Amino acid sequence: MQTKTLILFLLIMIALVPLGLISEYPAWGEWGIEEFQTMIGYIPHGMQNASTNAPIPDYEFHGLSPLWSTLISASIGVALSFLFFTAIKKTRNKN
Amino acid sequence: MHIPDGFISPSTSIVMLAISVPLWWYGFKKAKQNIDNDDSAVTFLSSMTAFAFMVMMINVPIPGGTSGHAVGMGALAILLGPWVAFFCISIALFFQAVIFGDGGILALGANSFAMGFIGAFGSYYFYEMFKNKLPNSINLFIAGYAGMVLASVVIAVLLGIQPMLFNEGGKAIYFPFDLSVTIPAIVGSHILVFGAIEGLATIGVVRFLSQIKEKIHAN
């Protein structure tokens, strides 16, 4: 009963995540650094070397459609959450 | 609402990490207590972390060329208690930063403190304040709304103090807009729109899951 409700809950959430694709704009302030050049005429130098080397930047897989990228990214988030807390539970069993 | 690395100074990030590390440790202990005392807690905590992860991906556009999203702090705080909610949101933010480049890694302390700690405790205390005094749905809405607006204040302050603290020759070194811009833009949009989205998400999720939450909210 509890597990079924949670599985349904997570499936609904995965199905809702692509709604986020409707928005073309980033959150206020979270612009790419080039946009600061346009806005204020320079790129603050502390921002320049702050590039991120994430394995899956912006939840986008190269060569996959935005819809699939988003669905797979959401699923990865679910999987990592379960792996993490399962690992915490395992640490108890060793003690 | 996810501050990227380079938008706040390394010193700001380190101060926020120093604040967050002991809070993470206490949140972790609370989460582990839940897991040790109840075999179903792993599934529930994992699901709520996954929910926070996903709801933060749902960007909602607003007029003016920007967007925002719910965080899940209201639902997590009410269903898990504020400490465990803070810990779960921090874990979701950690995955987003490290795997997907959403929010900085050095800035994880700042983002966790704002969206996780202030957000969850704000939601929790507003919920407790009006418990049994207002219809439950209204109370749930207020809880989510308040947590979200409080979190946005922290983000706006952290970004807005940057040009005041760190500049050379009149040029900002990090985020260039000061409090007079960040407060209306970030807090304003959360008061008008995103707080309400968090409030509605809180109602929906708590109602949907309230049938199974009973024992888990132990601490």
Side-chain angles (χ1 to χ4, degrees):
Chain A
M1 167 59 193
Q2 170 170 328
T3 312
K4 269 189 192 164
T5 310
L6 288 173
I7 291 172
L8 178 63
F9 173 58
L10 292 176
L11 288 175
I12 292 170
M13 281 309 300
I14 291 173
L16 289 176
V17 168
L19 286 175
L21 295 170
I22 294 168
S23 170
E24 294 168 30
Y25 303 105
W28 190 92
E30 293 175 31
W31 309 292
I33 54 167
E34 324 75 49
E35 286 167 68
F36 287 94
Q37 177 75 49
T38 328
M39 274 186 240
I40 55 171
Y42 65 96
I43 298 173
H45 79 76
M47 292 176 132
Q48 283 169 348
N49 45 15
S51 64
T52 47
N53 288 316
I56 313 168
D58 296 326
Y59 309 95
E60 279 173 15
F61 290 87
H62 196 68
L64 277 182
S65 72
L67 178 64
W68 279 110
S69 289
T70 300
L71 291 173
I72 294 170
S73 296
S75 307
I76 290 174
V78 176
L80 288 173
S81 301
F82 275 82
L83 280 173
F84 180 82
F85 284 100
T86 307
I88 289 185
K89 188 187 168 80
K90 288 268 165 61
T91 59
R92 167 189 58 160
N93 297 338
K94 280 178 197 157
N95 295 333
Chain B
M1 229 189 188
H2 295 50
I3 299 176
D5 279 335
F7 281 49
I8 56 177
S9 76
S11 56
T12 312
S13 289
I14 287 164
V15 167
M16 296 313 293
L17 278 171
I19 294 170
S20 293
V21 166
L23 302 175
W24 282 329
W25 177 245
Y26 194 72
F28 168 75
K29 280 174 62 176
K30 286 277 186 190
K32 194 151 158 42
Q33 272 173 19
N34 280 359
I35 289 169
D36 288 349
N37 294 337
D38 179 357
D39 280 341
S40 64
V42 168
T43 314
F44 198 58
L45 296 196
S46 305
S47 300
M48 294 314 293
T49 304
F51 162 68
F53 181 96
M54 290 189 280
V55 84
M56 287 191 267
M57 288 176 71
I58 306 177
N59 291 306
V60 180
I62 58 168
T66 122
S67 71
H69 54 73
V71 172
M73 68 259 290
L76 269 77
I78 290 158
L79 293 171
L80 301 171
W83 280 107
V84 177
F86 156 63
F87 183 71
C88 290
I89 293 167
S90 300
I91 295 304
L93 289 170
F94 174 77
F95 294 145
Q96 292 180 332
V98 172
I99 315 272
F100 301 99
D102 191 8
I105 294 172
L106 200 57
L108 193 61
N111 288 324
S112 294
F113 182 79
M115 288 183 263
F117 191 79
I118 297 298
F121 277 86
S123 288
Y124 182 78
Y125 283 114
F126 269 85
Y127 185 73
E128 291 294 308
M129 204 188 309
F130 297 112
K131 208 173 184 176
N132 304 325
K133 291 177 194 148
L134 288 171
N136 198 38
S137 283
I138 293 173
N139 197 8
L140 289 171
F141 181 89
I142 292 173
Y145 183 90
M148 193 63 160
V149 171
L150 290 171
S152 77
V153 172
V154 178
I155 298 285
V157 169
L158 287 172
L159 287 172
I161 59 174
Q162 297 304 314
M164 299 166 163
L165 295 177
F166 308 101
N167 58 76
E168 48 183 18
K171 287 187 172 183
I173 303 176
Y174 306 102
F175 196 75
F177 299 106
D178 69 17
L179 291 169
S180 67
V181 183
T182 61
I183 295 283
I186 299 176
V187 183
S189 60
H190 284 76
I191 286 174
L192 289 174
V193 183
F194 305 124
I197 290 171
E198 179 74 26
L200 294 174
T202 306
I203 298 175
V205 171
V206 174
R207 294 211 145 189
F208 188 80
L209 296 179
S210 56
Q211 45 187 326
I212 59 168
K213 72 145 191 181
E214 65 280 12
K215 292 188 206 88
I216 294 159
H217 192 186
N219 311 298

